[in-house]
């Protein structure tokens, strides 16, 4: 099914600093909504507004080769993998969830909602894996892939915009700033519902990596991130901070230009994390030391989505229109590319606490 050419040609950026982030060859033809590395091999799944999911093989220096592609009937809004790395799941504006079997190269519909599926996630439950899908129809549905109907449906207070899973924790962000926290050993109902600590619309929720105390980060359209712990005993560690803001007048320190936080990705080994935004910048952070580890040079367009690979030595990001200004902001010539950054240890390793 490999429609891609055999070329593994790459382009580079950041040449001024001597560092080279490598451009993935043959990117999608429209905005890139979601990217996800396989947990088992160096494969990258990419969902796009061009109604397709593409799978690339990524080499150790970031070189890339297209391997496969499968369609939806509308824009693809999210992609994920199962634990074994042999199946990809995607949800889209066609209200459908689809599965691509890497070994057979075939895709099939495995989920259905009454409105677009905004987010998909794999629940690595003991003994069996379950697909979770969140939708603008104000539900999360759980799917056992052996049966056509959902094994459970959860009513949410509002449209589901985002969720993330670090079994047994699932954190869900909806419209109207609701955040629901689930223990997936009892997936049918939230055990805690809070209002987002941020004042504006939630864009992304991302769970801490497995080695850390249970918690999650929330990013919003107002250029802020909140760090939230699940257990009440850890609540004193909750905090929020500003990011993805700029001075309207140089050197004025007014931070008056505010950009959406589009994605938050946790490093699988060190537990540090990245944020990316509509301002075209990426930052790496250490939440425990409450410090910034690295700032990337600004890209020529918004950064719509990011992902670390399973070992944390590669970091992928998409320079792509993020729809933050609606359809009027989708101007001709908008960049649309996926970049691979080779992570140095000092960029992602935790700092000593002050």
């Amino acid at each position: 099914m490999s429609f891609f050419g055999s070329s593994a040609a790459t382009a580079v950026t950041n040449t001024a600093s001597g560092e080279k982030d490598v451009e993935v060859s043959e990117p999608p033809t429209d905005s890139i909504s979601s990217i996800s590395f396989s947990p088992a091999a160096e494969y990258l799944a990419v969902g796009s507004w061009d109604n397709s999911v593409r799978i690339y093989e990524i080499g150790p220096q970031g070189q890339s080769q297209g391997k496969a592609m499968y369609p939806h009937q509308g824009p693809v809004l999210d992609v994920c993998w199962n634990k074994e790395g042999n199946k990809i799941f995607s949800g889209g504006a066609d209200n459908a969830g689809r599965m691509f079997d890497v070994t057979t190269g075939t895709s099939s519909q495995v989920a259905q909602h009454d409105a677009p599926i905004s987010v998909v996630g794999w629940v690595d439950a003991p003994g069996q894996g379950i697909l979770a899908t969140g939708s603008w129809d104000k539900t999360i549905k759980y799917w056992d892939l052996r049966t056509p109907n959902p094994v459970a449906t959860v009513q949410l207070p509002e449209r589901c915009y985002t969720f993330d899973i670090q079994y047994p924790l699932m954190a869900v962000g909806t419209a109207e700033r609701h955040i629901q926290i689930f223990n997936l050993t009892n997936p049918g109902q939230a055990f805690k519902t809070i209002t987002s600590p941020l004042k504006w619309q939630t864009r992304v929720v991302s769970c801490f990596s497995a080695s850390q105390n249970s918690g999650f980060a929330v990013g919003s359209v107002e250029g802020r991130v909140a760090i939230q712990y699940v257990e009440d005993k850890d609540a004193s560690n909750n905090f929020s901070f500003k990011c993805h803001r700029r001075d309207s007048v140089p050197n004025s320190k007014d931070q008056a230009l505010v950009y959406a936080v589009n994605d938050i990705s946790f490093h699988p080994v060190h537990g540090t994390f990245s944020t990316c935004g509509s301002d075209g910048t990426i930052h790496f952070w250490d939440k425990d030391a409450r410090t910034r580890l690295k700032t990337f040079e600004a890209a020529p367009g918004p950064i719509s989505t990011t992902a670390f690979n399973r070992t944390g030595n590669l970091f992928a990001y998409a320079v792509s229109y993020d729809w933050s200004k609606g359809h009027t902001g989708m101007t001709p010539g908008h960049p649309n590319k996926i970049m691979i950054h080779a992570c140095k240890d000092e960029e992602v390793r935790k700092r000593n606490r002050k």
Side-chain angles (χ1 to χ4, degrees):
M1 168 138 199
S2 175
F3 76 99
F4 295 78
S6 58
S7 71
T10 55
V12 298
T13 186
N14 281 357
T15 46
S17 60
E19 298 301 322
K20 297 184 172 70
D21 287 0
V22 183
E23 189 171 341
V24 170
S25 55
E26 300 187 78
T29 58
D30 203 342
S31 290
I32 298 157
S33 59
S34 176
I35 57 180
S36 177
F37 274 104
S38 163
E42 299 308 343
Y43 286 94
L44 183 69
V46 177
S48 169
W49 283 70
D50 68 6
N51 302 3
S52 70
V53 177
R54 290 168 170 79
I55 300 98
Y56 301 87
E57 185 173 10
I58 307 296
Q61 270 73 53
Q63 64 273 40
S64 57
Q65 188 167 6
K67 286 297 187 184
M69 174 175 170
Y70 68 95
H72 272 254
Q73 300 298 308
V76 178
L77 302 180
D78 198 29
V79 293
C80 74
W81 296 77
N82 67 345
K83 183 191 177 185
E84 292 74 30
N86 58 13
K87 293 183 174 65
I88 297 165
F89 302 96
S90 50
D94 55 358
N95 306 355
R98 300 193 68 84
M99 176 179 79
F100 180 80
D101 188 315
V102 174
T103 49
T104 63
T106 56
S107 75
S108 56
Q109 184 172 340
V110 293
Q112 178 72 41
H113 278 265
D114 296 330
I117 295 175
S118 53
V119 59
V120 293
W122 186 249
V123 181
D124 183 31
Q128 62 166 352
I130 294 287
L131 175 67
T133 55
S135 168
W136 296 348
D137 67 9
K138 304 183 184 180
T139 67
I140 286 175
K141 294 183 180 184
Y142 301 102
W143 308 85
D144 179 334
L145 301 176
R146 298 167 296 191
T147 58
N149 295 316
V151 292
T153 300
V154 178
Q155 293 294 325
L156 299 174
E158 253 295 347
R159 289 153 290 163
C160 182
Y161 286 163
T162 174
F163 68 50
D164 194 30
I165 297 167
Q166 188 68 252
Y167 189 85
L169 172 67
M170 178 169 73
V172 181
T174 75
E176 304 300 334
R177 298 171 48 237
H178 300 288
I179 292 177
Q180 293 203 305
I181 302 162
F182 290 78
N183 181 336
L184 290 171
T185 59
N186 178 27
Q189 62 186 72
F191 78 84
K192 189 185 265 189
T193 299
I194 64 171
T195 300
S196 169
L198 306 177
K199 295 186 181 73
W200 299 89
Q201 184 186 73
T202 303
R203 284 284 281 187
V204 58
V205 171
S206 185
C207 294
F208 300 168
S209 42
S211 59
Q212 302 179 303
N213 284 356
S214 187
F216 53 91
V218 184
S220 75
V221 298
E222 84 222 60
R224 286 174 76 93
V225 169
I227 300 295
Q228 289 286 122
Y229 287 82
V230 172
E231 301 287 342
D232 291 338
K233 65 180 173 57
D234 298 322
S236 61
N237 295 322
N238 293 347
F239 70 100
S240 63
F241 62 96
K242 294 177 182 175
C243 52
H244 301 286
R245 298 185 174 207
R246 288 185 194 160
D247 300 331
S248 57
V249 181
N251 304 318
S252 66
K253 297 279 189 283
D254 60 5
Q255 298 283 285
L257 300 175
V258 177
Y259 299 86
V261 178
N262 286 332
D263 206 358
I264 298 171
S265 297
F266 277 88
H267 192 279
V269 177
H270 296 298
T272 51
F273 65 97
S274 66
T275 63
C276 69
S278 295
D279 59 348
T281 66
I282 299 167
H283 307 282
F284 288 172
W285 307 87
D286 177 347
K287 67 176 173 55
D288 298 327
R290 300 195 182 187
T291 190
R292 188 188 332 231
L293 301 173
K294 177 185 171 66
T295 295
F296 286 63
E297 285 181 32
I303 309 293
S304 58
T305 178
T306 57
F308 286 101
N309 70 339
R310 68 193 195 283
T311 58
N313 67 329
L314 294 177
F315 177 74
Y317 59 95
V319 184
S320 174
Y321 184 54
D322 59 2
W323 298 95
S324 57
K325 294 186 171 71
H327 70 93
T328 56
M330 187 60 175
T331 52
H334 229 290
N336 206 63
K337 55 190 180 179
I338 304 160
M339 307 299 296
I340 305 292
H341 173 78
C343 296
K344 295 194 192 69
D345 203 46
E346 63 266 21
E347 295 174 344
V348 291
R349 194 177 56 233
K350 290 192 167 195
R351 298 277 164 85
N352 293 326
R353 292 200 196 194
K354 291 173 179 154

